[in-house]
Amino acid sequence: MHGDFISQLSIFVLAVFVGYYVVWSVTPALHTPLMAVTNAISSVIVVGALIAAGPADMSQAKILGCVAVALASVNIFGGFAVTQRMLSMYKKKK
Amino acid sequence: MELQANMTSFAYLVAAVLFILALRGLSSPETSRAGNIMGMLGMAIAVGTTILSPEITSYGWIIGPVIVGGAVGLLIASRIAMTAMPQLVAAFHSLVGMAAVLVAGAAYANPASFGLLDTAGQIFIASRVEMSLGAMIGAITFSGSVIAFAKLQGLVSGRPVVFPGQHALNALLGLGALALVIYFCLDQSPWVFWSLVALAFVLGFLIIIPIGGADMPVVVSMLNSYSGWAAAGIGFTLHNSALIITGALVGSSGAILSYIMCKGMNRSFFNVILGGFGGDSSAAASGGGVEDRPVKQGSAEDAAFIMKNAGSVIIVPGYGMAVAQAQHALREMGDELKKAGVKVSYAIHPVAGRMPGHMNVLLAEANVPYDEVFELEDINSEFQQADVAFVIGANDVTNPAAKTDPASPIYGMPILDVEKAKTVLFVKRGMAAGYAGVQNELFFKDNTMMLFGDAKKMVETVLRSLD
């Protein structure tokens, strides 16, 4: 499992390129929703927090994990909801 | 077991692809809402997959924090004013940063449950580098975002805090942090890890305090980028491709936005980061004498008369408009003008507002159709044909000195060519200089009429005069 640093690095570098091209295609009018939604998706860090909070036994790691789950949840729910709220405001000329 | 692991990895890949599609949707407002739904779906898949994995055996300690955090998040998202969006985003960045620190801390405290131990019971060297970098960037993101939040919210002064030896101190602390990352590879004692985290908290604080209020668009974008790199760092630690891909997306997104903002001000990234800009933005800084020159002053009635009889009006809103909450009155004014047969459009400078795209959201909230709102490069050539440029709450971004005066601090900054319009109506409180502390030559031009007063009251009076 630990020999695959290079394959992880490959994923990372390719994703940076994907991000570069995708983000340049975002219309400047939607840059604020872009920041809100990138914020929400970067909270996928919650998967690490869940693994830390998951074991049955109480430990320092579990406490840190629980707090991280709560913080990331604020971001996930708040981030997607506020993005949706903003996007619903963009209307075309009638 | 092997099948289970493959299924998990596949689910994370699906989540990552959905996140890419969420960003892709933002290329136009029509596709953006569907994109956001895909983002939510991706998150649900990532979280669901993790919860169902065999590592997780106790659910009580997960459901509680999710409900509490989720409720707080939804409440904030439904209540927040659109003008406060920059501070909300800063606050959210701080949470991602803190979560990264906590997850790295948890992985450090219990490396076995993350599968990070070698046969000798030591944490893998690669994992040490990954978790220490993730924790360091996360901590910088956290404290930096807290300061950005405090400045944007007005809890502390937006003025840059500068002191002698600041840059040397920051450089020293930065090198110290990197030295601790290296030392952590040799010695995995708790003091090394936690001193690194503490040092990074201090560093994040010190990096942001010298940066002034109006440079916050760059700071918020930069912290957006950092939060992504922190997530990617943790992704490497956890061998989680969804986290690595997402971190890379967010990191490059924030970096691109920082670049766009810097270009909008014609300043290098380092110039903004080193800070101190706009520290003396008082009128005195522009030098005496200039203010004595006469300006042509007009009333709301004059403005209403001119605009009603115009063929086309371009409205140039700036942050001052948002501060005065004039966007709704402004849209009503635009509606009245359209009824009178005037072509109305809006011109947005890249750094109008306190975060990228902020002005567009504020206008959208006020029900301005997005196809009447144009970016600088799309509308700048149209000022020549426009009868009226109506500047409200903007200043530096219209200053012709950016093109004509090489000695000006804003020289080279792209500006909206409002001076090319037949008449320029300039709504302003008084004659004070803008953020950059430079006088605007536009005020003294023959075709400029100054409308002194509060932006909202002025627009409301113009609106009444239009009927």
mmCIF file of all heavy atoms in Angstrom, chain B residues 121-159:
data_model
loop_
_atom_site.group_PDB
_atom_site.id
_atom_site.type_symbol
_atom_site.label_atom_id
_atom_site.label_comp_id
_atom_site.label_asym_id
_atom_site.label_seq_id
_atom_site.Cartn_x
_atom_site.Cartn_y
_atom_site.Cartn_z
ATOM 1 N N GLY B 121 7.026 -0.442 14.155
ATOM 2 C CA GLY B 121 6.118 0.362 14.966
ATOM 3 C C GLY B 121 6.354 1.856 14.841
ATOM 4 O O GLY B 121 5.875 2.646 15.659
ATOM 5 N N GLN B 122 7.130 2.250 13.837
ATOM 6 C CA GLN B 122 7.378 3.682 13.598
ATOM 7 C C GLN B 122 6.462 4.159 12.474
ATOM 8 O O GLN B 122 6.059 3.374 11.618
ATOM 9 C CB GLN B 122 8.833 3.880 13.151
ATOM 10 C CG GLN B 122 9.843 3.466 14.208
ATOM 11 C CD GLN B 122 10.166 4.608 15.143
ATOM 12 O OE1 GLN B 122 10.526 5.692 14.719
ATOM 13 N NE2 GLN B 122 10.033 4.374 16.442
ATOM 14 N N ILE B 123 6.164 5.471 12.464
ATOM 15 C CA ILE B 123 5.362 6.011 11.361
ATOM 16 C C ILE B 123 6.265 6.096 10.125
ATOM 17 O O ILE B 123 7.428 6.495 10.225
ATOM 18 C CB ILE B 123 4.820 7.416 11.715
ATOM 19 C CG1 ILE B 123 4.006 7.342 13.004
ATOM 20 C CG2 ILE B 123 3.971 7.962 10.586
ATOM 21 C CD1 ILE B 123 3.540 8.685 13.525
ATOM 22 N N PHE B 124 5.708 5.688 8.981
ATOM 23 C CA PHE B 124 6.481 5.766 7.729
ATOM 24 C C PHE B 124 7.028 7.182 7.528
ATOM 25 O O PHE B 124 6.337 8.165 7.840
ATOM 26 C CB PHE B 124 5.591 5.439 6.527
ATOM 27 C CG PHE B 124 5.218 3.998 6.429
ATOM 28 C CD1 PHE B 124 3.936 3.582 6.749
ATOM 29 C CD2 PHE B 124 6.148 3.051 6.004
ATOM 30 C CE1 PHE B 124 3.583 2.249 6.670
ATOM 31 C CE2 PHE B 124 5.796 1.712 5.909
ATOM 32 C CZ PHE B 124 4.504 1.311 6.256
ATOM 33 N N ILE B 125 8.237 7.280 6.988
ATOM 34 C CA ILE B 125 8.855 8.596 6.757
ATOM 35 C C ILE B 125 7.975 9.425 5.815
ATOM 36 O O ILE B 125 7.694 10.598 6.073
ATOM 37 C CB ILE B 125 10.272 8.446 6.145
ATOM 38 C CG1 ILE B 125 11.183 7.630 7.076
ATOM 39 C CG2 ILE B 125 10.876 9.820 5.856
ATOM 40 C CD1 ILE B 125 11.549 8.318 8.356
ATOM 41 N N ALA B 126 7.511 8.800 4.731
ATOM 42 C CA ALA B 126 6.670 9.532 3.769
ATOM 43 C C ALA B 126 5.417 10.054 4.461
ATOM 44 O O ALA B 126 5.019 11.197 4.262
ATOM 45 C CB ALA B 126 6.292 8.616 2.602
ATOM 46 N N SER B 127 4.817 9.220 5.310
ATOM 47 C CA SER B 127 3.608 9.646 6.017
ATOM 48 C C SER B 127 3.899 10.806 6.955
ATOM 49 O O SER B 127 3.077 11.700 7.138
ATOM 50 C CB SER B 127 3.028 8.488 6.825
ATOM 51 O OG SER B 127 2.753 7.407 5.978
ATOM 52 N N ARG B 128 5.120 10.777 7.567
ATOM 53 C CA ARG B 128 5.472 11.890 8.463
ATOM 54 C C ARG B 128 5.543 13.193 7.691
ATOM 55 O O ARG B 128 5.047 14.226 8.142
ATOM 56 C CB ARG B 128 6.831 11.633 9.112
ATOM 57 C CG ARG B 128 6.806 10.504 10.101
ATOM 58 C CD ARG B 128 8.103 10.490 10.877
ATOM 59 N NE ARG B 128 8.465 9.134 11.268
ATOM 60 C CZ ARG B 128 9.551 8.839 11.963
ATOM 61 N NH1 ARG B 128 10.394 9.796 12.297
ATOM 62 N NH2 ARG B 128 9.806 7.604 12.301
ATOM 63 N N VAL B 129 6.176 13.149 6.514
ATOM 64 C CA VAL B 129 6.276 14.369 5.703
ATOM 65 C C VAL B 129 4.870 14.849 5.332
ATOM 66 O O VAL B 129 4.534 16.022 5.476
ATOM 67 C CB VAL B 129 7.096 14.116 4.417
ATOM 68 C CG1 VAL B 129 7.108 15.348 3.535
ATOM 69 C CG2 VAL B 129 8.515 13.712 4.775
ATOM 70 N N GLU B 130 4.031 13.912 4.869
ATOM 71 C CA GLU B 130 2.691 14.278 4.409
ATOM 72 C C GLU B 130 1.851 14.851 5.548
ATOM 73 O O GLU B 130 1.216 15.895 5.384
ATOM 74 C CB GLU B 130 1.993 13.050 3.807
ATOM 75 C CG GLU B 130 2.622 12.576 2.504
ATOM 76 C CD GLU B 130 2.406 11.092 2.243
ATOM 77 O OE1 GLU B 130 1.692 10.423 3.039
ATOM 78 O OE2 GLU B 130 2.955 10.596 1.257
ATOM 79 N N MET B 131 1.861 14.172 6.704
ATOM 80 C CA MET B 131 0.999 14.666 7.777
ATOM 81 C C MET B 131 1.519 15.964 8.366
ATOM 82 O O MET B 131 0.738 16.852 8.715
ATOM 83 C CB MET B 131 0.767 13.601 8.866
ATOM 84 C CG MET B 131 1.924 13.312 9.780
ATOM 85 S SD MET B 131 1.426 12.288 11.184
ATOM 86 C CE MET B 131 1.042 10.736 10.400
ATOM 87 N N SER B 132 2.846 16.136 8.431
ATOM 88 C CA SER B 132 3.355 17.386 8.996
ATOM 89 C C SER B 132 3.108 18.554 8.044
ATOM 90 O O SER B 132 2.740 19.642 8.477
ATOM 91 C CB SER B 132 4.831 17.268 9.366
ATOM 92 O OG SER B 132 5.595 16.918 8.243
ATOM 93 N N LEU B 133 3.253 18.319 6.746
ATOM 94 C CA LEU B 133 2.948 19.398 5.797
ATOM 95 C C LEU B 133 1.459 19.731 5.812
ATOM 96 O O LEU B 133 1.075 20.897 5.815
ATOM 97 C CB LEU B 133 3.377 19.007 4.378
ATOM 98 C CG LEU B 133 4.874 19.094 4.068
ATOM 99 C CD1 LEU B 133 5.148 18.644 2.641
ATOM 100 C CD2 LEU B 133 5.399 20.503 4.282
ATOM 101 N N GLY B 134 0.608 18.684 5.844
ATOM 102 C CA GLY B 134 -0.843 18.909 5.897
ATOM 103 C C GLY B 134 -1.218 19.709 7.132
ATOM 104 O O GLY B 134 -1.994 20.670 7.052
ATOM 105 N N ALA B 135 -0.639 19.341 8.288
ATOM 106 C CA ALA B 135 -0.945 20.050 9.533
ATOM 107 C C ALA B 135 -0.437 21.488 9.465
ATOM 108 O O ALA B 135 -1.120 22.428 9.887
ATOM 109 C CB ALA B 135 -0.305 19.326 10.720
ATOM 110 N N MET B 136 0.759 21.672 8.910
ATOM 111 C CA MET B 136 1.344 23.011 8.848
ATOM 112 C C MET B 136 0.492 23.925 7.964
ATOM 113 O O MET B 136 0.114 25.025 8.381
ATOM 114 C CB MET B 136 2.772 22.922 8.303
ATOM 115 C CG MET B 136 3.452 24.259 8.193
ATOM 116 S SD MET B 136 5.149 24.071 7.599
ATOM 117 C CE MET B 136 4.999 24.723 5.965
ATOM 118 N N ILE B 137 0.162 23.467 6.741
ATOM 119 C CA ILE B 137 -0.628 24.319 5.841
ATOM 120 C C ILE B 137 -2.011 24.556 6.434
ATOM 121 O O ILE B 137 -2.555 25.652 6.369
ATOM 122 C CB ILE B 137 -0.718 23.694 4.431
ATOM 123 C CG1 ILE B 137 0.686 23.443 3.884
ATOM 124 C CG2 ILE B 137 -1.485 24.614 3.485
ATOM 125 C CD1 ILE B 137 0.699 22.633 2.599
ATOM 126 N N GLY B 138 -2.572 23.508 7.062
ATOM 127 C CA GLY B 138 -3.884 23.653 7.701
ATOM 128 C C GLY B 138 -3.859 24.707 8.796
ATOM 129 O O GLY B 138 -4.757 25.549 8.889
ATOM 130 N N ALA B 139 -2.807 24.697 9.613
ATOM 131 C CA ALA B 139 -2.715 25.663 10.720
ATOM 132 C C ALA B 139 -2.547 27.083 10.190
ATOM 133 O O ALA B 139 -3.159 28.029 10.699
ATOM 134 C CB ALA B 139 -1.544 25.292 11.633
ATOM 135 N N ILE B 140 -1.735 27.240 9.140
ATOM 136 C CA ILE B 140 -1.573 28.571 8.533
ATOM 137 C C ILE B 140 -2.914 29.041 7.977
ATOM 138 O O ILE B 140 -3.318 30.187 8.169
ATOM 139 C CB ILE B 140 -0.491 28.543 7.426
ATOM 140 C CG1 ILE B 140 0.887 28.307 8.045
ATOM 141 C CG2 ILE B 140 -0.497 29.845 6.620
ATOM 142 C CD1 ILE B 140 2.010 28.142 7.039
ATOM 143 N N THR B 141 -3.622 28.126 7.294
ATOM 144 C CA THR B 141 -4.940 28.476 6.747
ATOM 145 C C THR B 141 -5.878 28.905 7.856
ATOM 146 O O THR B 141 -6.604 29.895 7.736
ATOM 147 C CB THR B 141 -5.558 27.250 6.031
ATOM 148 O OG1 THR B 141 -4.611 26.729 5.116
ATOM 149 C CG2 THR B 141 -6.823 27.629 5.286
ATOM 150 N N PHE B 142 -5.848 28.162 8.975
ATOM 151 C CA PHE B 142 -6.762 28.483 10.076
ATOM 152 C C PHE B 142 -6.526 29.881 10.628
ATOM 153 O O PHE B 142 -7.408 30.732 10.600
ATOM 154 C CB PHE B 142 -6.643 27.451 11.206
ATOM 155 C CG PHE B 142 -7.432 27.832 12.428
ATOM 156 C CD1 PHE B 142 -8.814 27.691 12.436
ATOM 157 C CD2 PHE B 142 -6.808 28.369 13.544
ATOM 158 C CE1 PHE B 142 -9.557 28.078 13.543
ATOM 159 C CE2 PHE B 142 -7.541 28.755 14.651
ATOM 160 C CZ PHE B 142 -8.920 28.611 14.657
ATOM 161 N N SER B 143 -5.289 30.140 11.107
ATOM 162 C CA SER B 143 -5.097 31.433 11.786
ATOM 163 C C SER B 143 -5.145 32.585 10.784
ATOM 164 O O SER B 143 -5.669 33.656 11.085
ATOM 165 C CB SER B 143 -3.809 31.436 12.604
ATOM 166 O OG SER B 143 -2.718 31.104 11.799
ATOM 167 N N GLY B 144 -4.657 32.360 9.562
ATOM 168 C CA GLY B 144 -4.740 33.397 8.536
ATOM 169 C C GLY B 144 -6.186 33.745 8.229
ATOM 170 O O GLY B 144 -6.551 34.924 8.122
ATOM 171 N N SER B 145 -7.037 32.721 8.125
ATOM 172 C CA SER B 145 -8.445 32.961 7.810
ATOM 173 C C SER B 145 -9.165 33.657 8.953
ATOM 174 O O SER B 145 -10.060 34.467 8.724
ATOM 175 C CB SER B 145 -9.158 31.643 7.504
ATOM 176 O OG SER B 145 -8.563 31.024 6.402
ATOM 177 N N VAL B 146 -8.762 33.322 10.175
ATOM 178 C CA VAL B 146 -9.391 33.987 11.322
ATOM 179 C C VAL B 146 -9.091 35.493 11.268
ATOM 180 O O VAL B 146 -9.984 36.327 11.472
ATOM 181 C CB VAL B 146 -8.909 33.361 12.652
ATOM 182 C CG1 VAL B 146 -9.305 34.223 13.844
ATOM 183 C CG2 VAL B 146 -9.485 31.969 12.808
ATOM 184 N N ILE B 147 -7.849 35.848 10.957
ATOM 185 C CA ILE B 147 -7.492 37.272 10.855
ATOM 186 C C ILE B 147 -8.236 37.919 9.684
ATOM 187 O O ILE B 147 -8.777 39.020 9.803
ATOM 188 C CB ILE B 147 -5.967 37.451 10.644
ATOM 189 C CG1 ILE B 147 -5.209 36.872 11.824
ATOM 190 C CG2 ILE B 147 -5.608 38.927 10.474
ATOM 191 C CD1 ILE B 147 -5.560 37.488 13.140
ATOM 192 N N ALA B 148 -8.288 37.221 8.541
ATOM 193 C CA ALA B 148 -9.005 37.762 7.373
ATOM 194 C C ALA B 148 -10.466 37.980 7.735
ATOM 195 O O ALA B 148 -11.048 39.021 7.414
ATOM 196 C CB ALA B 148 -8.883 36.810 6.187
ATOM 197 N N PHE B 149 -11.052 37.028 8.449
ATOM 198 C CA PHE B 149 -12.440 37.156 8.887
ATOM 199 C C PHE B 149 -12.608 38.389 9.771
ATOM 200 O O PHE B 149 -13.502 39.206 9.572
ATOM 201 C CB PHE B 149 -12.877 35.896 9.653
ATOM 202 C CG PHE B 149 -14.217 36.030 10.324
ATOM 203 C CD1 PHE B 149 -15.380 35.865 9.597
ATOM 204 C CD2 PHE B 149 -14.312 36.344 11.675
ATOM 205 C CE1 PHE B 149 -16.621 36.006 10.207
ATOM 206 C CE2 PHE B 149 -15.545 36.486 12.286
ATOM 207 C CZ PHE B 149 -16.709 36.317 11.554
ATOM 208 N N ALA B 150 -11.714 38.531 10.762
ATOM 209 C CA ALA B 150 -11.808 39.655 11.707
ATOM 210 C C ALA B 150 -11.678 40.985 10.977
ATOM 211 O O ALA B 150 -12.383 41.950 11.281
ATOM 212 C CB ALA B 150 -10.747 39.517 12.794
ATOM 213 N N LYS B 151 -10.794 41.046 9.987
ATOM 214 C CA LYS B 151 -10.630 42.296 9.238
ATOM 215 C C LYS B 151 -11.860 42.593 8.391
ATOM 216 O O LYS B 151 -12.335 43.722 8.351
ATOM 217 C CB LYS B 151 -9.402 42.208 8.324
ATOM 218 C CG LYS B 151 -8.087 42.301 9.086
ATOM 219 C CD LYS B 151 -6.920 42.607 8.145
ATOM 220 C CE LYS B 151 -5.634 42.726 8.951
ATOM 221 N NZ LYS B 151 -4.615 43.510 8.289
ATOM 222 N N LEU B 152 -12.387 41.566 7.712
ATOM 223 C CA LEU B 152 -13.541 41.774 6.837
ATOM 224 C C LEU B 152 -14.798 42.091 7.637
ATOM 225 O O LEU B 152 -15.646 42.866 7.222
ATOM 226 C CB LEU B 152 -13.776 40.528 5.977
ATOM 227 C CG LEU B 152 -12.758 40.307 4.866
ATOM 228 C CD1 LEU B 152 -12.793 38.876 4.376
ATOM 229 C CD2 LEU B 152 -13.008 41.262 3.711
ATOM 230 N N GLN B 153 -14.914 41.486 8.799
ATOM 231 C CA GLN B 153 -16.090 41.678 9.646
ATOM 232 C C GLN B 153 -15.996 43.001 10.403
ATOM 233 O O GLN B 153 -16.966 43.452 10.989
ATOM 234 C CB GLN B 153 -16.201 40.484 10.613
ATOM 235 C CG GLN B 153 -17.373 40.480 11.566
ATOM 236 C CD GLN B 153 -18.691 40.208 10.849
ATOM 237 O OE1 GLN B 153 -18.730 39.702 9.739
ATOM 238 N NE2 GLN B 153 -19.796 40.572 11.482
ATOM 239 N N GLY B 154 -14.803 43.618 10.381
ATOM 240 C CA GLY B 154 -14.627 44.885 11.086
ATOM 241 C C GLY B 154 -14.376 44.707 12.572
ATOM 242 O O GLY B 154 -14.489 45.644 13.352
ATOM 243 N N LEU B 155 -14.025 43.468 12.991
ATOM 244 C CA LEU B 155 -13.722 43.227 14.404
ATOM 245 C C LEU B 155 -12.385 43.857 14.764
ATOM 246 O O LEU B 155 -12.156 44.274 15.888
ATOM 247 C CB LEU B 155 -13.685 41.724 14.709
ATOM 248 C CG LEU B 155 -14.975 40.959 14.453
ATOM 249 C CD1 LEU B 155 -14.790 39.480 14.732
ATOM 250 C CD2 LEU B 155 -16.104 41.518 15.328
ATOM 251 N N VAL B 156 -11.460 43.882 13.799
ATOM 252 C CA VAL B 156 -10.197 44.604 13.969
ATOM 253 C C VAL B 156 -10.102 45.566 12.783
ATOM 254 O O VAL B 156 -10.784 45.398 11.781
ATOM 255 C CB VAL B 156 -8.961 43.669 13.997
ATOM 256 C CG1 VAL B 156 -9.055 42.698 15.137
ATOM 257 C CG2 VAL B 156 -8.794 42.937 12.683
ATOM 258 N N SER B 157 -9.249 46.561 12.916
ATOM 259 C CA SER B 157 -9.107 47.541 11.842
ATOM 260 C C SER B 157 -8.580 46.868 10.578
ATOM 261 O O SER B 157 -7.757 45.954 10.636
ATOM 262 C CB SER B 157 -8.132 48.629 12.295
ATOM 263 O OG SER B 157 -7.562 49.249 11.163
ATOM 264 N N GLY B 158 -9.081 47.303 9.431
ATOM 265 C CA GLY B 158 -8.606 46.746 8.169
ATOM 266 C C GLY B 158 -7.248 47.290 7.765
ATOM 267 O O GLY B 158 -6.677 46.882 6.769
ATOM 268 N N ARG B 159 -6.731 48.222 8.576
ATOM 269 C CA ARG B 159 -5.440 48.818 8.220
ATOM 270 C C ARG B 159 -4.319 47.798 8.357
ATOM 271 O O ARG B 159 -4.355 46.950 9.237
ATOM 272 C CB ARG B 159 -5.134 50.005 9.141
ATOM 273 C CG ARG B 159 -6.042 51.196 8.919
ATOM 274 C CD ARG B 159 -5.781 52.227 10.000
ATOM 275 N NE ARG B 159 -4.415 52.727 9.924
ATOM 276 C CZ ARG B 159 -4.074 53.798 9.206
ATOM 277 N NH1 ARG B 159 -4.972 54.450 8.536
ATOM 278 N NH2 ARG B 159 -2.826 54.190 9.171
#
